Amino acid sequence: MQLPWDRNYLATRHWRVTGWLLAAVWLFFLNIPLLAALHQPEPWRRVVGAGTLVAFGVCYVFVFQWARGRRLAHAGIPLGRAWAAVALLLGLGLAGIPGTGGDWLTTLVFVAAAGVFLLPSRQALVVVALAALTPPVTAALVPGWEAEGTVVFAVLLASFAMFGVTRLTQRNSELQAAQQEIRRLAVAEERARTARDLHDILGHSLTVVAVKAELAGRLLERDPIRAATEIADVERLARQALADVRGTVAAYRGIGLAGELAGARSALAAAGIAAELPETLPELPVERDELFGWTVREGVTNVVRHSGARRCVIRVEPDRVEVRDDGRGPAAEAGPAGHGLVGLRERARRLDGTVTVGRPPTGPGFLLRLTLPPQP
């Protein structure tokens, strides 16, 4: 199966292909030392000057792309390699002095920018300070070299700009990591929610199927006609469960209180449990009607599966639904709450509701109660 393209992936791939332009465009400012090299009277000086400047530009773009790729991949830049890259750029700039003369100082702008992009803040500050102090110092020490105030200003400006680029790249990298984590958590939450819904649907349906199949087996010799009726119900319930599973996988199936009460009546009758159900239902919003339906389903499933009860009572009010029986119930078990109750509590929390599970205030039995805030 071919999955659709991820827009983030396409954007990342686009920047990996064209991101080198961010570094290459600034190499235009090497035109001054390049022109100085090309106007040298001796051929070997022209070759040395132009060759070192070309090598300098290629290395600068490569170093920028290498460091940028590691930042986007959330990988740190090794300090030793960072210093080696800065030293390589500085060495190429110094190697071009025979062909560029004092104009080699322009390469210090790129060395300072590389130091800011590659090194930790304090070490980068040292590189920037040395690059800014070099032009006036060399002008005082080397005859014929002028104090390039524009180079000093360019070093400081480029360093400040590269500092902003570095922080922007870091923030974008952190944002991408956060977005990936959010997507991963959203997928995990959706899978857990789907699993709980499938558990609720299959647990209820298979419980009724098992009870009806057991009843049909007992009636097979005494009352074949009724046994055949129960087997037909088993087939119908199995098909309905399959349809419910398909509906849940495609999209969450709409659960309604009226439908679940009808199913509860059938399930309790098959289990031989007397049912006392409400004759009329209050008008409920869609969210409450669905939540009440889930509560009835979970409560009746527990009554049929665990309780050994003889009677089950379901009460429905505008802000409350209650399932009670006279059996032992899962509340007497020491184990932790099942997946059905976990899912029910999660749904109830979305409507600021609470789920109570335990023994009734009077007498033995099992009690499942969902309570919601009063309707406005």
Side-chain angles (χ1 to χ4, degrees), residues 4-368:
W5 286 97
D6 185 356
R7 296 179 63 88
N8 290 331
Y9 168 77
L10 291 176
T12 302
R13 185 173 180 269
H14 170 75
W15 280 110
R16 285 178 178 174
V17 174
T18 61
W20 61 273
L21 291 174
L22 293 174
V25 69
W26 301 107
L27 296 178
F28 171 79
F29 293 101
L30 291 178
N31 66 327
I32 296 177
L34 180 62
L35 290 175
L38 294 178
H39 286 85
Q40 291 290 341
E42 301 178 27
W44 73 271
R45 291 183 181 275
R46 293 197 295 269
V47 172
V48 169
T52 54
L53 286 174
V54 171
F56 181 92
V58 172
C59 289
Y60 179 77
V61 173
F62 175 79
V63 167
F64 182 85
Q65 276 295 92
W66 168 74
R68 187 171 177 274
R70 292 189 66 88
R71 289 183 183 277
L72 290 176
H74 313 293
I77 299 177
L79 186 59
R81 294 184 182 182
W83 274 111
V86 173
L88 175 62
L89 293 175
L90 179 61
L92 289 173
L94 292 172
I97 289 178
T100 59
D103 291 328
W104 80 276
L105 295 171
T106 305
T107 61
L108 292 177
V109 177
F110 299 90
V111 172
V116 172
F117 196 72
L118 297 175
L119 298 172
S121 299
R122 292 184 179 180
Q123 299 181 27
L125 183 61
V126 172
V127 172
V128 172
L130 292 176
L133 291 174
T134 298
V137 171
T138 55
L141 298 178
V142 180
W145 286 12
E146 298 179 359
E148 294 287 348
T150 56
V151 174
V152 176
F153 177 76
V155 166
L156 298 177
L157 183 62
S159 300
F160 181 77
M162 187 57 70
F163 178 80
V165 171
T166 302
R167 292 297 178 266
L168 179 62
T169 303
Q170 181 179 354
R171 295 297 181 268
N172 287 339
S173 177
E174 294 173 354
L175 179 60
Q176 289 179 3
Q179 290 175 341
Q180 292 175 0
E181 181 67 12
I182 290 173
R183 287 195 294 269
R184 186 189 68 80
L185 292 176
V187 170
E189 176 63 22
E190 190 67 16
R191 287 175 177 172
R193 185 178 176 185
T194 302
R196 285 193 295 268
D197 285 356
L198 287 174
H199 169 271
D200 293 345
I201 291 171
L202 289 178
H204 175 79
S205 300
L206 294 179
T207 297
V208 177
V209 166
V211 171
K212 283 184 171 290
E214 182 182 358
L215 177 61
R218 293 199 304 264
L219 296 173
L220 190 58
E221 296 182 357
R222 293 183 299 171
D223 192 347
I225 296 177
R226 186 179 174 190
T229 302
E230 296 296 337
I231 290 299
D233 282 346
V234 168
E235 180 182 0
R236 178 184 60 80
L237 288 169
R239 293 182 184 277
Q240 182 62 44
L242 180 59
D244 289 347
V245 170
R246 288 173 177 171
T248 301
V249 172
Y252 288 115
R253 183 175 67 92
I255 298 290
L257 176 59
E260 292 304 318
L261 286 173
R265 187 185 301 276
S266 175
L268 293 170
I273 300 174
E276 183 180 335
L277 307 180
E279 297 181 359
T280 59
L281 299 178
E283 291 291 335
L284 297 171
V286 176
E287 296 82 0
R288 293 200 175 204
D289 186 75
E290 180 179 354
L291 181 56
F292 281 16
W294 280 113
T295 306
V296 170
R297 167 172 288 197
E298 176 64 20
V300 171
T301 300
N302 286 329
V303 170
V304 173
R305 183 185 298 173
H306 302 295
S307 69
R310 292 173 297 178
R311 183 171 178 268
C312 177
V313 179
I314 300 178
R315 299 276 186 256
V316 177
E317 299 177 11
D319 56 357
R320 177 182 299 184
V321 60
E322 181 177 290
V323 180
R324 180 187 305 210
D325 67 44
D326 58 357
R328 66 180 184 276
E333 300 175 1
H339 295 287
L341 288 175
V342 172
L344 182 60
R345 286 193 172 100
E346 179 179 325
R347 295 185 185 95
R349 281 196 296 270
R350 294 176 191 149
L351 298 181
D352 297 326
T354 58
V355 176
T356 303
V357 179
R359 296 191 180 279
T362 59
F366 161 71
L367 172 66
L368 172 63

